């Protein structure tokens, strides 16, 4: 199910004329089949909507009761057809298996966004007429450039599910502000209509305003990043790192979309929906961070087990918030039931795993003379926000009966949580098709039952206390990451930023060699400035952007070319011009027009007021540290040094008695006596 790519561009003599192509729309890959079906449904939906609009207009125009009866009957058929088409589209949005990794083993599934569909747009005649009328030039002399632009847009309809596909969308997105400045005057209508279909409902939105085009391309960039994340091989560290980065970038692009475009009349890009999608992307990144932590197993030690328990509780908390967002108006009517069900399953599953780990730590590890009592007390005190009266962490650690009482409470909580996850799984038709997920949930449930069975022969314990909640805690938090593809001169040098007037600074060889370093593609920024160098004394500041070297404009120059320009600086030095970003109060986001081409708008104004996402203007990459944690199942007879679980084997070739490190993505478990 790999993406089939057309010849990767035509090189006619320079990089400027080199255009990458998208996926072949006729290639019958898994994702292309899905997109083709979605495009077909979109066309059927708009046909039914036009028929309904015509019938409603006829109802208003006629006074003939017989005609009205016929129209009412026809409307009932049309509405029934629309409901069926919407159901089919929801089923397509629930087909997440096509986006999952194709590695031999299976993990808990991740959700990817589908790409928004669009109609072809002909720029040729409107642009040539505008060039002739506005710029007094012959529009026919720009036919080749206009054709290149149309080819680029056409390729963006089927981008490859790789970084190259993201770059393709980013390249077109970077052209749109330039096109807007040159051809879309507020006093002149070009006659160009952009039509995009809602990715959840299939409803079309049509605007002459180019803001719809820009917002939709950003949405598709985020969707493509989500597909890259779900496609990564999560059985390897490199694949998990790729997935983490992809989901964080998806969240960053969606946040850029939310802050820039606030009035796009499409449900999938309403503030409430985008806020929910940002949460979803970050939660899936947090899930991958947990999987990376436990990929190579967890040492069977008290502190290590407690640490992973809190990590699992954090993932559960994130998916619980997502589920709460999905069941709120107006999001709940448009999100596929499959999505909210998966979120609820993950909430219960990871919460149960958190209780399972705490139970292992309490039941399998007694506080010995050689153990660090202070460290264990501090670790356990961070697990609970509130303990029963007259109970302290040190009492639990030192008193064997208390350890067992709390441990049993946690394992009972884990068992009931896994049972709830399995019950919810059974209620969703689309989820029932994922047998491997059922195997994972059953295996995790079986592990908890096995641990509890170790105490079944003991004297009946009557004090069935309720396990305290586990405090969520993550060593690394998933955060929004703005991809470099959306940065650059178009975002740096814009009307939204305030800059100091250009300052002239003279650079000498000593500055070039030891005074500062440069970073960035374009524009180039000054970093790590030595405050004692001559350039600093002349007014250069850390964070300045270089806009010219000598008489050469350098706003669009990258680091490589900038270093080449500064390479031949002689003893007399060379003058450069720099600008600094000025602090300014946050401005209102750009509002797009809401003209919808006589088609009904697709979300109400209530969407604009629904925004639970906290503003976080800063984004950083998650620090990638090698993990020392791993986990698994303690042997009945003796404690193992590390704990591990096998994974689902779709081909049936892996021996079940071979320990494979994973976080519960298994349909069986492995202990020394060879249970299956």
């Amino acid at each position: 199910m790999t993406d089939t790519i057309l010849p990767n561009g035509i090189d006619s003599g320079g990089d400027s004329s080199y255009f990458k192509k998208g996926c072949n729309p006729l290639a019958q890959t898994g994702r292309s089949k899905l997109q083709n079906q979605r495009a077909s449904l979109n066309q059927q939906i708009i046909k039914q909507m036009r028929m309904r609009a015509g019938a409603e207009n006829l109802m208003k125009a006629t006074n003939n009761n017989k005609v009205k009866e016929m129209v009412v009957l026809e409307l009932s058929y049309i509405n029934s057809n629309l409901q069926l088409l919407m159901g089919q589209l929801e089923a397509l949005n629930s087909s997440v298996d096509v986006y999952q990794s194709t590695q031999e083993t299976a993990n808990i599934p991740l959700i990817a966004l589908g790409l928004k569909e669009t109609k072809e747009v002909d720029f040729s005649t409107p642009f040539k007429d505008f060039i002739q009328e506005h710029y007094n030039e012959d529009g026919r002399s720009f036919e080749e450039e206009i054709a290149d632009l149309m080819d680029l847009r056409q390729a963006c309809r089927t981008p490859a599910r790789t970084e190259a596909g993201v770059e393709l969308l980013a390249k077109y997105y970077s052209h749109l502000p330039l096109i807007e400045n040159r051809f879309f005057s507020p006093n002149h209508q070009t006659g160009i209509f952009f039509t995009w279909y809602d990715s959840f409902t299939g409803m079309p939105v049509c605007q002459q305003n180019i803001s719809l085009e820009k917002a939709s391309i950003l949405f598709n960039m985020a969707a493509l990043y989500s597909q890259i994340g779900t496609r990564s091989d999560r059985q390897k560290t490199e694949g998990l790192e790729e997935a983490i980065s992809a989901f964080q970038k998806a969240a960053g692009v969606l946040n850029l979309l939310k802050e820039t475009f606030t009035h796009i009349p499409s449900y999938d890009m309403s503030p409430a929906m985008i806020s929910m999608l940002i949460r979803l992307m970050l939660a899936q990144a947090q899930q991958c961070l947990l999987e990376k932590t436990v990929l190579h197993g967890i040492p069977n030690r008290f502190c290590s087990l407690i640490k992973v328990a809190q990590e699992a509780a954090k993932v559960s908390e994130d998916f619980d918030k997502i589920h709460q967002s999905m069941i709120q108006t107006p999001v709940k009517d448009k999100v596929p039931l499959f999505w909210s069900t998966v979120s609820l399953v993950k909430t219960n599953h990871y919460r149960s795993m958190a209780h399972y780990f705490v139970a292992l730590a309490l039941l399998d590890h007694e506080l010995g003379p050689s153990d660090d009592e202070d460290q264990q007390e501090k670790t356990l005190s961070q697990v609970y926000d509130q303990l029963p009266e007259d109970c302290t962490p040190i009492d639990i650690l030192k008193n064997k009966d208390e350890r067992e009482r709390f441990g049993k409470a946690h394992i009972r909580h884990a068992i009931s949580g896994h049972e709830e996850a399995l019950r919810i799984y059974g209620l969703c038709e689309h989820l029932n098709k994922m047998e491997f997920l059922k195997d994972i949930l059953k295996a995790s449930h079986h592990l908890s039952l096995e641990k509890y069975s170790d105490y079944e022969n003991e004297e009946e314990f009557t004090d069935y206390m309720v396990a305290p909640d586990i405090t969520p805690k993550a060593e690394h938090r998933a955060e929004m990451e703005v991809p470099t593809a959306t940065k650059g001169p178009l975002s740096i040098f814009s009307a939204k930023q305030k800059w100091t007037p250009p300052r002239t600074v003279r650079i000498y060889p000593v500055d070039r060699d030891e005074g500062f370093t440069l970073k960035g593609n374009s524009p180039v920024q000054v970093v790590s400035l030595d405050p004692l160098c001559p350039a600093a004394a002349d007014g250069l500041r850390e964070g300045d952007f270089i806009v010219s070297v000598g008489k050469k404009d350098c706003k669009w120059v990258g680091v490589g070319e900038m270093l080449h320009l500064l390479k031949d600086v002689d003893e007399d030095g060379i003058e450069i011009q720099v600008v600094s970003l000025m602090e300014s109060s946050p401005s209102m986001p750009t509002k797009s027009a809401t003209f919808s081409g006589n088609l009904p708008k697709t979300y109400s104004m209530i969407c604009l007021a629904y925004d639970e996402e906290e503003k976080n203007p800063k984004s950083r990459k998650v620090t990638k540290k090698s993990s020392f944690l791993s986990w698994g199942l303690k042997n009945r007879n003796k404690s193992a040094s590390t704990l591990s679980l096998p994974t689902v084997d779709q081909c049936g070739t892996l021996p079940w008695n071979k320990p494979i490190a994973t976080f519960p993505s298994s349909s069986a478990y492995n202990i020394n006596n060879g249970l299956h």
Side-chain angles (χ1 to χ4, degrees):
M1 295 194 299
T2 55
D3 294 323
T4 302
I5 311 298
L6 292 173
N8 204 18
I10 301 174
D11 190 356
S12 58
D15 292 339
S16 61
S17 59
Y18 187 85
F19 287 89
K20 294 182 178 180
K21 302 295 183 181
C23 295
N24 184 353
L26 301 179
Q28 291 301 295
T29 63
R31 189 186 65 153
S32 64
K33 288 179 182 179
L34 202 65
Q35 293 299 109
N36 289 338
Q37 293 175 38
R38 186 179 283 114
S40 175
L41 285 174
N42 288 335
Q43 294 297 329
Q44 295 178 57
I45 288 171
I46 192 172
K47 179 180 178 181
Q48 294 295 323
M49 289 180 60
R50 285 173 174 167
M51 291 176 62
R52 186 173 67 178
E56 290 173 345
N57 290 335
L58 181 58
M59 280 278 290
K60 296 175 182 178
T62 184
N63 294 321
N64 189 316
N65 291 333
K66 193 169 184 178
V67 172
K68 285 187 176 182
E69 289 177 2
M70 294 176 62
V71 172
V72 169
L73 181 61
E74 185 66 25
L75 276 173
S76 67
Y77 285 125
I78 293 173
N79 289 328
S80 297
N81 288 336
L82 271 174
Q83 289 295 326
L84 289 173
L85 292 172
M86 293 295 187
Q88 293 177 38
L89 188 61
E90 180 180 350
L92 287 183
N93 290 332
S94 301
S95 301
V96 298
D97 54 318
V98 72
Y99 297 116
Q100 304 303 307
S101 173
T102 56
Q103 78 267 21
E104 186 178 34
T105 51
N107 294 80
I108 295 178
L110 298 168
I111 294 174
L113 301 178
L115 298 178
K116 288 174 67 69
E117 303 290 339
T118 182
K119 287 185 176 181
E120 292 187 20
V121 175
D122 185 3
F123 293 125
S124 180
T125 301
F127 279 8
K128 286 189 288 186
D129 290 347
F130 189 80
I131 291 171
Q132 179 70 45
E133 175 186 344
H134 187 77
Y135 296 105
N136 296 316
E137 296 185 39
D138 187 359
R140 292 173 296 179
S141 61
F142 296 93
E143 285 182 349
E144 184 177 348
E145 288 78 5
I146 296 173
D148 285 341
L149 176 66
M150 292 173 62
D151 287 343
L152 180 61
R153 187 186 189 276
Q154 182 67 17
C156 287
R157 297 178 68 184
T158 54
R161 188 166 31 185
T162 61
E163 287 288 345
V166 177
E167 291 176 6
L168 181 69
L169 293 173
K171 185 172 185 179
Y172 179 60
Y173 179 76
S174 68
H175 280 67
L176 292 177
L178 302 176
I179 296 169
E180 184 177 23
N181 289 338
R182 287 162 173 75
F183 297 103
F184 287 82
S185 169
N187 302 321
H188 176 80
Q189 295 293 340
T190 61
I192 297 175
F193 285 87
F194 299 100
T195 302
W196 288 84
Y197 295 92
D198 190 291
S199 62
F200 294 110
T201 66
M203 296 292 187
V205 175
C206 184
Q207 285 189 352
Q208 290 195 71
N209 194 306
I210 200 172
S211 294
L212 174 64
E213 184 86 346
K214 292 191 286 187
S216 299
I217 291 296
L218 278 181
F219 184 95
N220 276 1
M221 285 180 65
L224 209 54
Y225 272 123
S226 74
Q227 293 179 17
I228 292 172
T230 56
R231 196 69 167 170
S232 301
D233 183 356
R234 288 151 58 203
Q235 292 297 320
K236 298 179 181 178
T237 302
E238 297 78 11
L240 283 168
E241 289 176 349
E242 180 185 38
I244 293 165
S245 177
F247 285 125
Q248 291 183 142
K249 288 177 180 177
V253 174
L254 288 170
N255 188 62
L256 177 63
L257 169 59
K258 186 184 74 170
E259 292 184 343
T260 308
F261 306 97
T262 59
H263 289 265
I264 300 297
S266 182
Y267 273 114
D268 54 1
M269 293 189 290
S270 65
M273 183 66 77
I274 292 297
S275 296
M276 184 276 293
L277 293 177
I278 291 172
R279 287 181 181 272
L280 177 62
M281 295 299 111
L282 292 178
Q284 294 190 140
Q286 196 68 50
Q287 177 185 338
C288 292
L289 280 166
L290 174 60
E291 291 176 357
K292 180 185 173 184
T293 299
V294 301
L295 180 62
H296 301 295
I298 304 170
N300 190 4
R301 296 195 294 266
F302 180 86
C303 292
S304 298
L305 293 170
I306 292 294
K307 182 177 181 180
V308 175
Q310 292 188 282
E311 296 267 1
K314 173 60 182 171
V315 177
S316 174
E317 180 188 52
D318 288 348
F319 279 105
D320 183 47
K321 291 179 179 178
I322 292 166
H323 179 257
Q324 295 302 320
S325 298
M326 289 181 178
I327 61 176
Q328 298 294 326
T329 304
V331 175
K332 68 176 182 179
D333 297 327
K334 307 304 172 186
V335 171
L337 176 63
F338 173 87
W339 286 26
S340 58
T341 306
V342 166
S343 299
L344 192 55
V345 167
K346 289 184 179 182
T347 299
N348 285 278
H349 173 72
Y350 285 108
R351 182 186 295 132
S352 300
M353 294 312 304
H355 284 278
Y356 172 76
F357 286 130
V358 174
L360 287 183
L362 293 175
L363 296 175
D364 294 349
H365 298 274
E366 294 183 3
L367 185 61
S370 60
D371 294 328
D372 189 338
E373 180 180 311
D374 292 338
Q375 178 64 31
Q376 288 199 18
E377 181 185 8
K378 179 181 178 182
T379 301
L380 190 60
S381 65
Q382 294 175 351
V383 173
Y384 305 120
D385 280 337
Q386 186 175 3
L387 283 170
E389 293 183 6
D390 302 327
C391 185
T392 63
I394 194 62
D395 293 334
I396 299 173
L397 290 172
K398 289 186 174 182
N399 189 318
K400 182 179 179 180
D401 291 338
E402 281 295 292
R403 288 181 80 108
E404 287 194 1
R405 191 164 75 98
F406 273 82
K408 287 181 180 180
H410 282 293
I411 205 66
R412 285 194 300 270
H413 197 298
I415 291 171
S416 63
H418 286 309
E419 291 172 350
E420 179 66 9
L422 284 166
R423 185 190 69 82
I424 296 168
Y425 167 88
L427 295 176
C428 183
E429 175 186 358
H430 300 297
L431 206 56
N432 282 330
K433 299 176 183 178
M434 295 186 170
E435 288 293 331
F436 67 89
L437 176 58
K438 184 178 181 180
D439 292 338
I440 293 170
L441 299 177
K442 280 187 173 181
S444 301
H445 181 224
H446 202 102
L447 283 173
S448 297
L449 289 174
E450 281 292 315
K451 175 51 61 178
Y452 193 66
S453 68
D454 289 346
Y455 300 88
E456 63 185 357
N457 295 325
E458 295 182 0
E459 185 177 348
E460 184 67 20
F461 193 78
T462 57
D463 182 16
Y464 287 104
M465 66 171 289
V466 177
D469 292 334
I470 298 172
T471 304
K473 183 181 179 182
E475 181 179 2
H476 299 301
R477 291 286 302 274
E479 296 187 7
M480 290 181 290
E481 179 181 335
V482 180
T484 56
T486 60
K487 299 178 182 179
L490 290 174
S491 60
I492 298 296
F493 298 112
S494 69
K496 299 177 183 178
Q497 307 285 6
K498 291 186 178 180
W499 299 90
T500 61
R503 309 189 310 276
T504 301
V505 178
R506 182 166 289 275
I507 299 296
Y508 296 93
V510 64
D511 296 313
R512 178 199 62 195
D513 298 334
E514 301 177 359
F516 56 84
T517 56
L518 304 175
K519 75 169 185 178
N521 293 324
S522 57
V524 174
Q525 190 175 21
V526 176
V527 295
S528 303
L529 176 67
D530 182 357
L532 301 179
C533 69
D538 200 25
L540 187 66
R541 296 196 293 266
E542 193 167 295
D544 283 346
F545 289 93
I546 301 178
V547 295
S548 69
V549 175
K551 296 182 179 180
K552 180 177 176 60
D553 190 322
C554 297
K555 296 185 183 71
W556 301 83
V557 169
V559 170
E561 188 176 350
M562 182 66 69
L563 292 175
H564 181 74
L565 292 172
L566 299 177
K567 180 179 179 182
D568 300 325
V569 175
D570 55 24
E571 294 181 357
D572 293 333
I574 187 172
E575 287 188 344
I576 66 171
Q577 282 196 323
V578 297
V579 295
S580 300
L581 181 65
M582 296 175 63
E583 294 292 336
S584 60
S585 58
S587 57
M588 291 293 292
T590 303
K591 296 183 179 179
S592 64
T594 56
F595 174 71
S596 57
N598 294 324
L599 291 172
K601 294 184 175 64
T602 55
Y603 78 96
S604 65
M605 293 301 291
I606 191 173
C607 300
L608 303 180
Y610 184 86
D611 182 11
E612 296 180 356
E613 196 67 34
E614 294 180 358
K615 301 293 182 181
N616 184 14
K618 296 183 179 179
S619 61
R620 59 179 177 83
K621 295 183 178 179
V622 171
T623 305
K624 299 176 180 178
K625 297 181 180 178
S626 57
S627 174
F628 63 93
L629 299 176
S630 85
W631 77 278
L633 175 67
K634 183 189 174 188
N635 191 288
R636 292 189 183 204
N637 301 320
K638 61 180 181 179
S639 176
S641 59
T642 59
L643 309 173
S644 62
L645 286 175
T647 184
V648 169
D649 176 20
Q650 295 175 332
C651 300
T653 57
L654 296 179
W656 287 118
N657 61 352
K658 179 181 179 182
I660 301 177
T662 181
F663 183 70
S665 53
S666 58
S667 60
Y669 64 98
N670 171 41
I671 58 178
N672 287 353
N673 58 6
L675 289 176
H676 294 260

